[in-house]
Amino acid sequence: MKQNAVLRRSPAGAKPLRHRFAGALSRYRWFYLMMIPGLLYYVVYHYIPMAGMIIAFKDYSLGKGIIGSDWVGLDNFRIIFNSPDFYELLRNTLLISLYRILFNMLPDVLLALMLNEVRILWFKRLIQTVTYGPYFLSWVIVYGLAVAFLAQDSGIVNYYIRELGGSPVNYLASNDYFRPIILLTDMWKNTGFGAIIYLAALATINTELYEAAVVDGAGRWRQLWHITLPGIRDVFVLLLILKIGHIMDAGFEQIYIFLNARVYEVGDIIDTWVFRRGLEELEFSIAIATNLFKSVIGFILIIGANKVAKKLGGSGIW
Protein backbone atom coordinates (compact mmCIF):
# COMPACT_ATOMS: atom_id res chain seq x y z
CA MET A 1 0.00 0.00 0.00
CA LYS A 2 2.80 2.41 0.89
CA GLN A 3 4.58 1.61 -2.37
CA ASN A 4 1.42 2.32 -4.41
CA ALA A 5 0.93 5.59 -2.55
CA VAL A 6 4.48 6.61 -3.40
CA LEU A 7 3.93 5.75 -7.10
CA ARG A 8 0.79 7.87 -7.21
CA ARG A 9 2.45 10.84 -5.50
CA SER A 10 3.19 13.75 -7.82
CA PRO A 11 6.78 15.07 -8.17
CA ALA A 12 7.75 17.94 -5.93
CA GLY A 13 6.13 21.17 -7.06
CA ALA A 14 3.96 19.45 -9.69
CA LYS A 15 0.21 19.95 -9.68
CA PRO A 16 -2.10 16.92 -9.41
CA LEU A 17 -3.23 15.44 -12.69
CA ARG A 18 -6.85 16.56 -12.27
CA HIS A 19 -5.73 20.17 -11.72
CA ARG A 20 -3.53 20.11 -14.81
CA PHE A 21 -6.39 18.65 -16.86
CA ALA A 22 -8.81 21.29 -15.58
CA GLY A 23 -6.28 24.02 -16.37
CA ALA A 24 -5.74 22.76 -19.91
CA LEU A 25 -9.50 22.45 -20.41
CA SER A 26 -10.00 26.04 -19.27
CA ARG A 27 -7.07 27.38 -21.28
CA TYR A 28 -8.10 25.75 -24.56
CA ARG A 29 -11.85 25.83 -24.01
CA TRP A 30 -12.58 27.63 -27.31
CA PHE A 31 -10.63 25.02 -29.27
CA TYR A 32 -12.60 22.23 -27.60
CA LEU A 33 -15.86 24.04 -28.33
CA MET A 34 -14.91 24.28 -32.00
CA MET A 35 -14.22 20.54 -32.01
CA ILE A 36 -17.74 19.67 -30.81
CA PRO A 37 -19.57 20.01 -34.19
CA GLY A 38 -17.01 17.80 -35.93
CA LEU A 39 -17.12 15.21 -33.16
CA LEU A 40 -20.92 15.19 -33.19
CA TYR A 41 -20.90 14.68 -36.96
CA TYR A 42 -18.74 11.57 -36.68
CA VAL A 43 -20.67 10.22 -33.70
CA VAL A 44 -24.10 10.69 -35.30
CA TYR A 45 -23.28 9.71 -38.88
CA HIS A 46 -20.37 7.28 -38.50
CA TYR A 47 -20.46 5.57 -35.11
CA ILE A 48 -24.13 5.30 -34.15
CA PRO A 49 -25.04 3.73 -37.55
CA MET A 50 -22.53 0.95 -36.81
CA ALA A 51 -25.27 -0.63 -34.68
CA GLY A 52 -27.02 -1.43 -37.95
CA MET A 53 -24.27 -3.90 -38.88
CA ILE A 54 -26.26 -6.53 -37.00
CA ILE A 55 -28.54 -6.62 -40.06
CA ALA A 56 -25.75 -8.50 -41.86
CA PHE A 57 -26.44 -11.47 -39.61
CA LYS A 58 -30.24 -11.34 -39.87
CA ASP A 59 -32.96 -11.87 -42.45
CA TYR A 60 -33.98 -8.25 -42.17
CA SER A 61 -37.62 -7.35 -42.69
CA LEU A 62 -38.96 -3.81 -42.71
CA GLY A 63 -42.08 -4.98 -40.92
CA LYS A 64 -40.27 -6.79 -38.11
CA GLY A 65 -37.51 -4.24 -37.68
CA ILE A 66 -33.89 -4.87 -36.70
CA ILE A 67 -34.62 -6.51 -33.36
CA GLY A 68 -37.56 -8.62 -34.54
CA SER A 69 -35.94 -9.96 -37.71
CA ASP A 70 -34.83 -13.59 -37.70
CA TRP A 71 -31.21 -14.39 -36.92
CA VAL A 72 -29.48 -16.26 -39.78
CA GLY A 73 -25.82 -16.09 -38.74
CA LEU A 74 -23.43 -16.24 -41.70
CA ASP A 75 -26.02 -17.24 -44.31
CA ASN A 76 -25.93 -13.81 -45.97
CA PHE A 77 -22.17 -14.09 -46.45
CA ARG A 78 -22.58 -17.56 -47.97
CA ILE A 79 -25.09 -16.13 -50.44
CA ILE A 80 -22.60 -13.42 -51.42
CA PHE A 81 -19.61 -15.72 -51.86
CA ASN A 82 -21.67 -18.33 -53.74
CA SER A 83 -23.10 -15.76 -56.13
CA PRO A 84 -21.93 -16.42 -59.71
CA ASP A 85 -21.30 -12.70 -60.21
CA PHE A 86 -19.34 -12.05 -57.02
CA TYR A 87 -15.84 -12.89 -58.24
CA GLU A 88 -16.33 -10.94 -61.46
CA LEU A 89 -17.49 -7.97 -59.38
CA LEU A 90 -14.46 -8.38 -57.09
CA ARG A 91 -12.11 -8.52 -60.08
CA ASN A 92 -13.59 -5.39 -61.66
CA THR A 93 -13.46 -3.52 -58.36
CA LEU A 94 -9.83 -4.38 -57.66
CA LEU A 95 -8.68 -3.71 -61.24
CA ILE A 96 -10.33 -0.28 -61.46
CA SER A 97 -9.00 0.68 -58.02
CA LEU A 98 -5.48 -0.46 -58.87
CA TYR A 99 -5.60 1.43 -62.17
CA ARG A 100 -6.62 4.56 -60.25
CA ILE A 101 -3.67 4.17 -57.87
CA LEU A 102 -1.13 3.41 -60.61
CA PHE A 103 -2.17 6.00 -63.19
CA ASN A 104 -3.94 8.75 -61.25
CA MET A 105 -1.44 9.50 -58.48
CA LEU A 106 1.54 10.31 -60.68
CA PRO A 107 -0.22 13.13 -62.63
CA ASP A 108 -0.90 14.88 -59.31
CA VAL A 109 2.80 14.80 -58.45
CA LEU A 110 3.92 15.83 -61.95
CA LEU A 111 1.52 18.79 -62.09
CA ALA A 112 2.64 19.95 -58.63
CA LEU A 113 6.31 19.69 -59.60
CA MET A 114 5.75 21.66 -62.81
CA LEU A 115 3.75 24.37 -61.04
CA ASN A 116 6.45 24.58 -58.38
CA GLU A 117 8.96 25.54 -61.07
CA VAL A 118 6.80 28.34 -62.50
CA ARG A 119 8.09 31.74 -61.41
CA ILE A 120 5.44 33.92 -63.13
CA LEU A 121 2.86 34.21 -60.36
CA TRP A 122 -0.18 35.17 -62.47
CA PHE A 123 0.47 32.29 -64.90
CA LYS A 124 0.85 29.85 -62.02
CA ARG A 125 -2.47 30.95 -60.50
CA LEU A 126 -4.17 30.70 -63.90
CA ILE A 127 -3.00 27.09 -64.39
CA GLN A 128 -4.04 26.18 -60.83
CA THR A 129 -7.51 27.63 -61.41
CA VAL A 130 -7.96 25.86 -64.74
CA THR A 131 -6.82 22.47 -63.41
CA TYR A 132 -8.62 22.78 -60.06
CA GLY A 133 -11.96 23.88 -61.59
CA PRO A 134 -13.16 20.42 -62.76
CA TYR A 135 -12.96 19.15 -59.17
CA PHE A 136 -16.14 21.13 -58.37
CA LEU A 137 -18.15 19.58 -61.21
CA SER A 138 -20.49 16.71 -60.40
CA TRP A 139 -20.06 13.40 -62.17
CA VAL A 140 -23.37 13.99 -63.93
CA ILE A 141 -21.89 17.05 -65.66
CA VAL A 142 -18.68 15.15 -66.46
CA TYR A 143 -20.75 12.37 -68.01
CA GLY A 144 -22.62 14.95 -70.07
CA LEU A 145 -19.30 16.27 -71.38
CA ALA A 146 -18.19 12.71 -72.15
CA VAL A 147 -21.40 12.15 -74.13
CA ALA A 148 -20.84 15.40 -76.04
CA PHE A 149 -17.40 14.19 -77.11
CA LEU A 150 -17.86 10.42 -77.40
CA ALA A 151 -21.50 9.70 -78.31
CA GLN A 152 -21.79 7.45 -81.34
CA ASP A 153 -24.28 9.61 -83.27
CA SER A 154 -23.64 13.18 -82.10
CA GLY A 155 -20.20 13.12 -80.44
CA ILE A 156 -17.45 15.43 -81.65
CA VAL A 157 -14.90 12.61 -81.91
CA ASN A 158 -17.17 10.44 -84.07
CA TYR A 159 -18.05 13.45 -86.22
CA TYR A 160 -14.41 13.79 -87.27
CA ILE A 161 -14.09 10.02 -87.68
CA ARG A 162 -16.98 10.08 -90.16
CA GLU A 163 -15.51 13.12 -91.92
CA LEU A 164 -12.28 11.19 -92.41
CA GLY A 165 -14.19 8.23 -93.89
CA GLY A 166 -14.15 5.95 -90.85
CA SER A 167 -16.93 4.17 -89.00
CA PRO A 168 -18.20 5.73 -85.74
CA VAL A 169 -17.32 3.95 -82.50
CA ASN A 170 -19.68 3.57 -79.56
CA TYR A 171 -17.06 4.41 -76.95
CA LEU A 172 -19.42 4.64 -73.96
CA ALA A 173 -20.86 1.17 -74.56
CA SER A 174 -17.62 -0.64 -75.42
CA ASN A 175 -15.84 -3.06 -73.10
CA ASP A 176 -12.52 -2.02 -74.62
CA TYR A 177 -12.94 1.70 -73.89
CA PHE A 178 -14.97 1.79 -70.66
CA ARG A 179 -12.08 1.54 -68.17
CA PRO A 180 -9.82 4.00 -70.05
CA ILE A 181 -12.70 6.50 -70.13
CA ILE A 182 -13.22 6.04 -66.38
CA LEU A 183 -9.52 6.63 -65.68
CA LEU A 184 -9.17 9.63 -68.01
CA THR A 185 -12.27 11.42 -66.70
CA ASP A 186 -11.20 10.76 -63.12
CA MET A 187 -7.74 12.13 -63.91
CA TRP A 188 -9.20 15.24 -65.58
CA LYS A 189 -11.53 15.91 -62.66
CA ASN A 190 -9.23 15.28 -59.67
CA THR A 191 -5.65 16.00 -60.75
CA GLY A 192 -5.87 19.69 -59.86
CA PHE A 193 -7.03 18.93 -56.33
CA GLY A 194 -4.31 16.34 -55.80
CA ALA A 195 -1.67 18.78 -57.04
CA ILE A 196 -2.71 21.33 -54.40
CA ILE A 197 -1.94 18.82 -51.66
CA TYR A 198 1.56 18.25 -53.03
CA LEU A 199 2.11 21.99 -53.54
CA ALA A 200 1.38 22.47 -49.85
CA ALA A 201 3.96 19.80 -49.05
CA LEU A 202 6.51 21.45 -51.36
CA ALA A 203 6.00 24.76 -49.55
CA THR A 204 7.23 23.18 -46.30
CA ILE A 205 10.65 22.22 -47.72
CA ASN A 206 13.43 24.34 -46.27
CA THR A 207 14.74 26.68 -49.00
CA GLU A 208 18.20 26.59 -47.42
CA LEU A 209 18.54 23.04 -48.72
CA TYR A 210 18.25 24.30 -52.30
CA GLU A 211 20.73 27.11 -51.60
CA ALA A 212 23.23 24.61 -50.21
CA ALA A 213 22.70 22.37 -53.23
CA VAL A 214 23.40 25.27 -55.60
CA VAL A 215 26.62 26.03 -53.73
CA ASP A 216 27.64 22.39 -54.12
CA GLY A 217 27.02 22.60 -57.87
CA ALA A 218 23.79 20.58 -58.04
CA GLY A 219 21.56 21.28 -61.06
CA ARG A 220 17.75 21.33 -61.14
CA TRP A 221 17.49 17.59 -61.72
CA ARG A 222 19.80 16.82 -58.79
CA GLN A 223 17.80 19.16 -56.57
CA LEU A 224 14.59 17.48 -57.70
CA TRP A 225 15.91 13.98 -56.97
CA HIS A 226 17.67 14.64 -53.67
CA ILE A 227 15.55 17.42 -52.10
CA THR A 228 12.13 17.85 -53.71
CA LEU A 229 11.04 14.22 -54.06
CA PRO A 230 12.21 13.20 -50.55
CA GLY A 231 10.38 16.29 -49.25
CA ILE A 232 7.01 15.07 -50.52
CA ARG A 233 7.63 11.36 -49.94
CA ASP A 234 5.72 11.20 -46.65
CA VAL A 235 2.67 12.91 -48.18
CA PHE A 236 2.75 10.52 -51.15
CA VAL A 237 2.96 7.50 -48.83
CA LEU A 238 0.13 8.84 -46.68
CA LEU A 239 -2.18 9.30 -49.68
CA LEU A 240 -1.15 5.90 -51.02
CA ILE A 241 -2.09 4.22 -47.73
CA LEU A 242 -5.47 5.95 -47.72
CA LYS A 243 -6.12 4.86 -51.31
CA ILE A 244 -5.18 1.28 -50.48
CA GLY A 245 -7.64 1.38 -47.59
CA HIS A 246 -10.38 2.34 -50.08
CA ILE A 247 -9.37 -0.18 -52.71
CA MET A 248 -12.74 -1.95 -52.40
CA ASP A 249 -14.70 1.20 -53.30
CA ALA A 250 -13.53 1.98 -56.87
CA GLY A 251 -15.62 5.18 -57.04
CA PHE A 252 -19.32 4.30 -56.89
CA GLU A 253 -20.74 7.62 -58.09
CA GLN A 254 -18.64 7.78 -61.24
CA ILE A 255 -19.10 4.11 -62.14
CA TYR A 256 -22.85 4.20 -61.50
CA ILE A 257 -23.33 7.20 -63.81
CA PHE A 258 -21.13 5.85 -66.62
CA LEU A 259 -22.33 2.24 -66.32
CA ASN A 260 -24.73 0.64 -68.80
CA ALA A 261 -25.85 -2.92 -69.48
CA ARG A 262 -23.36 -3.43 -72.33
CA VAL A 263 -20.31 -2.88 -70.12
CA TYR A 264 -21.34 -4.85 -67.04
CA GLU A 265 -18.63 -7.39 -67.81
CA VAL A 266 -15.82 -4.86 -67.22
CA GLY A 267 -17.54 -2.06 -65.30
CA ASP A 268 -19.93 -3.58 -62.76
CA ILE A 269 -18.35 -3.29 -59.30
CA ILE A 270 -19.33 -4.37 -55.81
CA ASP A 271 -20.91 -1.02 -54.91
CA THR A 272 -23.18 -0.90 -57.97
CA TRP A 273 -24.24 -4.50 -57.31
CA VAL A 274 -24.96 -3.64 -53.67
CA PHE A 275 -27.04 -0.66 -54.80
CA ARG A 276 -29.19 -2.88 -57.01
CA ARG A 277 -29.59 -5.62 -54.42
CA GLY A 278 -30.04 -3.32 -51.44
CA LEU A 279 -32.19 -0.47 -52.72
CA GLU A 280 -33.79 -1.75 -55.93
CA GLU A 281 -34.48 -5.31 -54.74
CA LEU A 282 -34.76 -4.38 -51.02
CA GLU A 283 -32.33 -7.10 -49.90
CA PHE A 284 -30.88 -5.00 -47.10
CA SER A 285 -29.18 -7.89 -45.30
CA ILE A 286 -27.18 -8.83 -48.41
CA ALA A 287 -26.17 -5.20 -48.94
CA ILE A 288 -25.03 -4.69 -45.33
CA ALA A 289 -23.15 -8.02 -45.31
CA THR A 290 -21.29 -7.01 -48.49
CA ASN A 291 -20.35 -3.61 -47.04
CA LEU A 292 -19.17 -5.27 -43.83
CA PHE A 293 -16.96 -7.58 -45.89
CA LYS A 294 -15.54 -4.56 -47.74
CA SER A 295 -14.88 -2.72 -44.47
CA VAL A 296 -12.98 -5.65 -42.98
CA ILE A 297 -10.81 -6.03 -46.10
CA GLY A 298 -10.14 -2.27 -46.19
CA PHE A 299 -9.19 -2.26 -42.50
CA ILE A 300 -6.74 -5.13 -43.00
CA LEU A 301 -5.20 -3.46 -46.05
CA ILE A 302 -4.71 -0.08 -44.40
CA ILE A 303 -3.09 -1.69 -41.33
CA GLY A 304 -0.79 -3.74 -43.55
CA ALA A 305 0.10 -0.78 -45.79
CA ASN A 306 0.89 1.36 -42.76
CA LYS A 307 3.25 -1.29 -41.35
CA VAL A 308 4.99 -1.72 -44.71
CA ALA A 309 5.41 2.06 -45.02
CA LYS A 310 7.05 2.23 -41.58
CA LYS A 311 9.40 -0.64 -42.37
CA LEU A 312 10.48 1.15 -45.55
CA GLY A 313 11.38 4.26 -43.56
CA GLY A 314 8.16 6.27 -43.93
CA SER A 315 6.14 7.83 -41.16
CA GLY A 316 2.87 6.08 -41.98
CA ILE A 317 -0.45 7.32 -40.61
CA TRP A 318 0.23 6.67 -36.93
Side-chain angles (χ1 to χ4, degrees), residues 137-179:
L137 300 178
S138 71
W139 280 115
V140 176
I141 296 176
V142 175
Y143 178 72
L145 294 173
V147 170
F149 278 91
L150 303 175
Q152 185 174 12
D153 298 326
S154 58
I156 296 174
V157 174
N158 280 310
Y159 169 78
Y160 285 107
I161 290 177
R162 284 192 294 268
E163 288 294 315
L164 294 173
S167 300
V169 179
N170 193 359
Y171 293 101
L172 297 174
S174 170
N175 288 340
D176 296 329
Y177 293 104
F178 180 78
R179 289 175 183 166

Side-chain angles (χ1 to χ4, degrees), residues 99-108 182-183 186-187 191:
Y99 288 155
R100 288 179 189 272
I101 293 174
L102 291 175
F103 299 109
N104 286 9
M105 288 191 70
L106 291 180
D108 301 349
I182 291 296
L183 292 174
D186 182 68
M187 186 187 306
T191 296

Side-chain angles (χ1 to χ4, degrees), residues 250-270:
F252 165 75
E253 186 179 358
Q254 181 191 14
I255 300 295
Y256 182 74
I257 291 172
F258 278 78
L259 193 64
N260 57 75
R262 295 187 179 182
V263 294
Y264 272 9
E265 183 181 350
V266 297
D268 198 17
I269 60 174
I270 292 176

